[in-house]
Amino acid sequence: MSDNKMNDNMNDNSAKHNNSVSLQYSARHVAIEVITNILLQQGSLSTQLARYQNEVASEHLPMLKELCFGVCRQYPKLNSIALHLLAHPFEEKDTDLYAALLLGLYQLTYMNTPDHAAVHETVEACRLLKKDWATKLMNAVLRRYQREVDEIEVALGSMPSVEYNQPKWLLKRFNKHWPEQLERIVDASNMHPPMCLRVNQSQVSRETYQILLKEQGIDSTAGTFSPSSLYLEKAVRVTELPHFGMGYVSVQDEAAQLSAHILAPKAGDKILDACAAPGGKTGHLLEVADGIRLTAVELEPWRMEKIESNLDRLGYSNDATLLCADASDLDAWWDGEHFDKILLDVPCTATGVIRRNPDIKINRKPADIDDLVVVQQAILDSVWTTLKPGGFMLYVTCSLMPEENEQQIQRFLARQNDAQEILLNTLAPELAIEWGTPVSHGRQLFPTLESHDGFYYCLLQKN
Ligand SMILES: C[S@@+](CC[C@H](N)C(=O)[O-])C[C@H]1O[C@@H](n2cnc3c(N)ncnc32)[C@H](O)[C@@H]1O
């Protein structure tokens, strides 16, 4: 970390030419752009990082990620501190200065950057942004923070959004729906997520892969719920994972892995993966059973590539039909042949996976819930038409909002009199253990400190 920091001076000298191709900038400079765009609602952390990561030298990429993930993860707290320190909030056109301030505060509070370097580099950032007028202000604000940090902690610490480090509206929702689980949800949502692998059991058993890991000095523990899951003691780069390129493993949360095990594909099944990108569950379905006929539908053209590259690495390039379409627009993609099984992993608020997508703390708004509920309902109703009588549909979200989960299914069951719910842990023997919490329809998994993310599952059968 400190090497990165030393090398990562936020001044013009650190913006250097990568001899032949493009300019490479310091991680802090690029982090300002990424955070600015997120604050301006111009994309998610993952899309912004994908867009900007080539602008830093590869050895500075960990620093860029640390800064960007860190600011998003600590945003409710950092935002309160910044607003407390500023006599007037920055205007929208100066969002880049606000991003620089948040990054400066993050370094002062959470990183072992020497204080003088954090202040100096944040002040220099004003010049790089061609806003020299802000240098004095930035210097004064950060110096005041250094002087008054203890008083500020006390003054702001009793605000629930600061104490819990969650947006106020989201905290209220968590508290309203899950008062008993609130502390656990918040703690798990604020942490660095564990790295969980899905072992491709069509190539290697979980036990054998654990030995392969051990031989590389990587310690792991088998997950309790998904028979293909392994938790790493410490995150590593995927390139360090034995035979990653040959598809022996994928990185996937344990709760997400339950989808394929619940849907239990069998040879000959015609299966629809209705909202497929980046293809994590598409690949898993193919791993679980040979000889399935799989169709994967995804709305976003740019996300299709991710499904393709995932399947390619797993060796399944020719084993699924990939369609880029709106799953709710059947005329656009359905040929009229019914499916035996459907995996419907709908777009959702992702409130169960905040630790993996901490920009949710900045970007997500209460109105998103209502908007997403409408989208989910449209996909649910359309895709249901494509299911065979007797067929199964697994409805999945990574949300903790009942509106998207049990309430969505309640309304669906009221509309569709040919649909019935199947109790989930009565299925396969490996799923018979207690997992998740039964709710009025389906099962809710809450994110946990030790293991999986927050997910919701409901299995439906067509009469
Ligand atoms: C939760 S993600 C799916 C994750 C995926 N199943 C996996 O395991 O890797 C939801 C996906 O649905 C896509 N999507 C959103 N609206 C859609 C629609 N109307 N039709 C098809 N896909 C849609 C999004 O672009 C996103 O890729």
Side-chain angles (χ1 to χ4, degrees):
M1 184 70 75
S2 55
D3 277 355
N4 275 342
K5 270 183 266 152
M6 296 304 290
N7 294 334
D8 191 47
N9 263 331
M10 182 82 197
N11 57 41
D12 270 332
N13 295 333
S14 71
K16 57 180 193 262
H17 279 283
N18 167 351
N19 295 336
S20 54
V21 204
S22 61
L23 267 180
Q24 292 197 315
Y25 296 96
S26 84
R28 288 186 181 85
H29 188 185
V30 176
I32 292 176
E33 289 196 49
V34 169
I35 298 296
T36 302
N37 291 343
I38 292 171
L39 290 169
L40 291 172
Q41 312 274 313
Q42 286 173 359
S44 66
L45 180 53
S46 60
T47 55
Q48 290 299 310
L49 278 176
R51 179 174 159 199
Y52 283 102
Q53 64 184 5
N54 293 335
E55 296 195 7
V56 294
S58 59
E59 66 269 26
H60 295 167
L61 197 52
M63 174 70 158
L64 175 66
K65 288 187 176 167
E66 159 74 36
L67 288 169
C68 295
F69 272 87
V71 165
C72 292
R73 192 165 277 131
Q74 307 301 341
Y75 177 76
K77 190 166 172 184
L78 296 174
N79 185 45
S80 301
I81 297 172
L83 294 177
H84 177 86
L85 291 167
L86 290 169
H88 307 285
F90 285 113
E91 290 178 34
E92 189 173 331
K93 67 182 172 49
D94 296 322
T95 303
D96 47 2
L97 290 175
Y98 195 58
L101 175 57
L102 295 174
L103 283 155
L105 290 170
Y106 177 72
Q107 290 165 76
L108 287 175
T109 314
Y110 296 101
M111 290 179 75
N112 53 0
T113 316
D115 285 5
H116 63 87
V119 174
H120 172 74
E121 286 159 6
T122 310
V123 171
E124 285 306 305
C126 302
R127 290 190 225 285
L128 269 182
L129 296 169
K130 308 220 177 333
K131 295 185 176 175
D132 293 34
W133 58 266
T135 51
K136 272 195 183 148
L137 170 69
M138 198 66 91
N139 190 46
V141 164
L142 291 176
R143 298 269 177 227
R144 183 177 154 213
Y145 178 61
Q146 285 179 291
R147 280 193 314 274
E148 298 178 14
V149 58
D150 293 337
E151 295 91 308
I152 292 172
E153 292 263 327
V154 172
L156 302 180
S158 57
M159 289 164 62
S161 62
V162 173
E163 185 189 348
Y164 288 96
N165 211 3
Q166 294 288 331
K168 217 190 296 179
W169 73 269
L170 188 56
L171 193 59
K172 277 192 184 160
R173 297 278 177 134
F174 284 153
N175 194 32
K176 175 177 164 203
H177 298 306
W178 310 113
E180 276 177 35
Q181 292 87 353
L182 178 70
E183 301 282 336
R184 273 167 44 204
I185 292 173
V186 167
D187 288 348
S189 300
N190 286 340
M191 72 182 286
H192 283 260
M195 184 166 180
C196 185
L197 303 182
R198 179 188 84 225
V199 179
N200 182 349
Q201 291 172 309
S202 72
Q203 299 224 44
V204 59
S205 73
R206 174 161 73 170
E207 293 69 27
T208 304
Y209 196 76
Q210 207 169 8
I211 295 167
L212 292 177
L213 284 172
K214 188 78 190 161
E215 285 168 3
Q216 298 288 321
I218 303 172
D219 288 326
S220 64
T221 316
T224 319
F225 305 105
S226 162
S228 41
S229 62
L230 279 178
Y231 287 94
L232 301 190
E233 288 295 301
K234 248 178 72 191
V236 298
R237 289 199 198 122
V238 288
T239 46
E240 291 170 44
L241 296 169
H243 306 300
F244 178 77
M246 289 165 62
Y248 272 33
V249 275
S250 301
V251 178
Q252 189 181 44
D253 176 68
E254 184 179 8
Q257 294 180 31
L258 289 173
S259 309
H261 295 296
I262 296 170
L263 206 57
K266 304 265 180 312
D269 279 350
K270 183 172 163 66
I271 300 182
L272 171 66
D273 182 1
C275 294
K281 300 184 185 74
T282 321
H284 196 192
L285 288 167
L286 289 160
E287 286 170 15
V288 167
D290 275 340
I292 59 172
R293 292 178 296 147
L294 183 61
T295 302
V297 178
E298 165 59 40
L299 179 67
E300 301 288 351
W302 65 275
R303 285 169 69 80
M304 295 302 288
E305 273 173 36
K306 295 191 179 252
I307 312 179
E308 282 160 19
S309 69
N310 262 322
L311 295 190
D312 196 28
R313 187 181 57 82
L314 293 170
Y316 295 129
S317 303
N318 300 319
D319 294 296
T321 304
L322 307 186
L323 302 173
C324 185
D326 177 348
S328 65
D329 179 7
L330 297 187
D331 291 341
W333 65 271
W334 189 42
D335 62 6
E337 194 187 336
H338 288 83
F339 294 95
D340 299 295
K341 291 173 182 164
I342 297 176
L343 175 61
L344 185 49
D345 187 13
V346 286
C348 70
T349 53
T351 37
V353 291
I354 294 175
R355 59 192 184 177
R356 296 191 195 275
N357 307 282
D359 50 318
I360 287 174
K361 292 184 179 185
I362 301 177
N363 278 336
R364 191 61 76 218
K365 303 282 174 285
D368 295 345
I369 301 176
D370 298 337
D371 294 348
L372 283 160
V373 162
V374 172
V375 172
Q376 292 156 358
Q377 178 174 323
I379 303 177
L380 246 175
D381 285 343
S382 300
V383 163
W384 185 250
T385 318
T386 71
L387 186 65
K388 252 185 199 161
F392 293 93
M393 176 192 275
L394 183 63
Y395 178 81
V396 186
T397 75
C398 53
S399 166
L400 302 182
M401 297 294 135
E403 296 90 325
E404 300 176 87
N405 298 342
E406 57 191 292
Q407 292 171 18
Q408 180 74 273
I409 295 300
Q410 169 128 30
R411 287 191 302 274
F412 177 76
L413 289 170
R415 282 194 306 277
Q416 306 284 351
N417 55 14
D418 59 352
Q420 64 164 330
E421 183 188 346
I422 305 293
L423 290 183
L424 276 169
N425 60 344
T426 59
L427 295 169
E430 67 267 24
L431 297 169
I433 52 172
E434 266 312 293
W435 57 270
T437 303
V439 286
S440 64
H441 297 285
R443 292 180 91 86
Q444 181 74 58
L445 290 105
F446 298 100
T448 72
L449 286 176
E450 318 67 41
S451 63
H452 58 74
D453 291 341
F455 263 74
Y456 170 82
Y457 283 106
C458 188
L459 185 65
L460 301 159
Q461 188 174 23
K462 199 176 228 182
N463 293 327

